[in-house]
Amino acid sequence: MALNEPAESHHSVQEAQRVLDVVARHPAGITDAELGRLLGLRVRRLTTLLRMLRREGYVLRLPDGAYAVGDAFTRLTSADGREQALREKLQRTLDRLRQDVGAAVYLSRYVDGEVSVTQYAAGPEAPAVNEWVDFRSAAHASAVGKSLLRQLDGDGRRDHLSRHRMPRLTSRTITSERLLLSHLEAQPPTSPVLDIQEYAVGTVCAAVPLSTGGRVNSLALSMPVSQAHRLRVAADRLHREAAPVLLSMSIAS
């Protein structure tokens, strides 16, 4: 099944992985000047990447100012416990994102032809959406589902919809396969997909694509409709902050 690979975030992740590859080859440490020269990166860009990698625990700065790989990188590349390390790392990132965007956040995958929410972060001030209809049966209505379907090719989308009815969950739900496919095709591949009370009355959602290694993933948020005025800004921030999530999955793959 061919995929429509989103370009957004991938470039940053690829650059970050290049930095990590070089740092990992220098166990005694390597300076930022040496990194810049070896990688051909400008000082400002390298500084931004190193700041993100230090925040995520993938590199650390030694007392002499050189950089070496951090504990988070070692755990995600270890032969033992990698899956658990990835889950814990992603959960910490989701918890931070929940605080940053002021909304519940979700990580989902499209696996074996079904939508699956694998992890989420919510709290009293950022409640999770009430899953009153199984997300596996509501891809046509939820931001999570539409984002995952958007990353499939045309045959993949039609195959999914042939196996799942499109019931009207609210007055805003799209129930026409032709109209839904048209909307998905018209959606720019890297832009957030929105759900304005299509899945549940009283809730608005947004989701951004996270494809890596042939796997289709999505990062999403939800908030009460009373906060709908914040949705676009929150979705844009979620999009900007997607790179660390994608990087973690790429390192562990």
Side-chain angles (χ1 to χ4, degrees):
M1 181 184 298
L3 304 178
N4 293 318
E5 292 285 352
E8 197 70 21
S9 296
H10 279 263
H11 184 62
S12 293
V13 169
Q14 289 168 353
E15 287 184 324
Q17 286 184 303
R18 289 176 61 210
V19 173
L20 282 171
D21 287 343
V22 174
V23 173
R25 292 200 299 269
H26 293 78
I30 182 172
T31 66
D32 51 0
E34 291 174 302
L35 278 169
R37 184 170 64 254
L38 289 172
L39 295 169
L41 292 172
R42 295 182 179 180
V43 173
R44 180 178 298 180
R45 182 57 180 161
L46 180 59
T47 299
T48 298
L49 290 168
L50 286 172
R51 184 183 302 117
M52 186 266 283
L53 290 171
R54 289 181 67 188
R55 183 190 68 187
E56 298 297 322
Y58 294 133
V59 302
L60 55 85
R61 194 168 189 181
L62 302 175
D64 63 1
Y67 291 90
V69 295
D71 181 62
F73 179 81
T74 301
R75 292 190 66 201
L76 288 186
T77 55
S78 172
D80 298 319
R82 181 183 304 183
E83 185 174 338
Q84 180 62 27
L86 176 61
R87 186 170 184 83
E88 292 173 357
K89 183 69 176 73
L90 290 174
Q91 191 60 51
R92 288 194 294 272
T93 302
L94 293 178
D95 290 340
R96 188 185 70 240
L97 282 173
R98 180 202 64 202
Q99 295 179 332
D100 289 347
V101 301
V105 293
Y106 312 80
L107 187 61
S108 64
R109 290 183 59 192
Y110 192 80
V111 57
D112 295 331
E114 300 294 346
V115 172
S116 174
V117 175
T118 56
Q119 290 178 247
Y120 73 95
E125 297 182 359
V129 64
N130 175 30
E131 190 179 349
W132 74 285
V133 174
D134 193 320
F135 283 126
R136 291 175 298 181
S137 303
H140 66 293
S142 67
V144 163
K146 288 189 290 183
S147 179
L148 293 172
L149 291 179
R150 178 65 188 86
Q151 296 174 71
L152 304 180
D153 61 14
D155 289 341
R157 295 171 197 161
R158 285 187 289 272
D159 172 73
H160 181 92
L161 296 177
S162 73
R163 293 182 287 105
H164 294 276
R165 295 174 53 249
M166 296 176 57
R168 186 177 300 281
L169 305 183
T170 76
S171 63
R172 294 174 175 266
T173 305
I174 296 175
T175 58
S176 163
E177 178 177 326
R178 180 188 59 78
L179 184 57
L180 178 63
L181 291 174
S182 177
H183 282 198
L184 292 175
E185 187 63 35
Q187 181 81 26
T190 61
S191 64
V193 175
L194 304 182
D195 159 16
I196 311 298
Q197 300 190 90
E198 296 175 53
Y199 171 75
V201 174
T203 301
V204 295
C205 308
V208 297
L210 284 179
S211 284
T212 178
R215 297 178 179 178
V216 175
N217 308 279
S218 178
L219 184 64
L221 64 83
S222 70
M223 58 180 62
V225 70
S226 60
Q227 299 180 29
H229 61 282
R230 295 199 304 113
L231 182 61
R232 179 64 69 175
V233 172
D236 288 342
R237 181 159 190 177
L238 188 74
H239 203 185
R240 292 194 301 271
E241 296 295 327
V245 179
L246 189 58
L247 179 60
S248 296
M249 293 189 293
S250 297
I251 291 172
S253 64

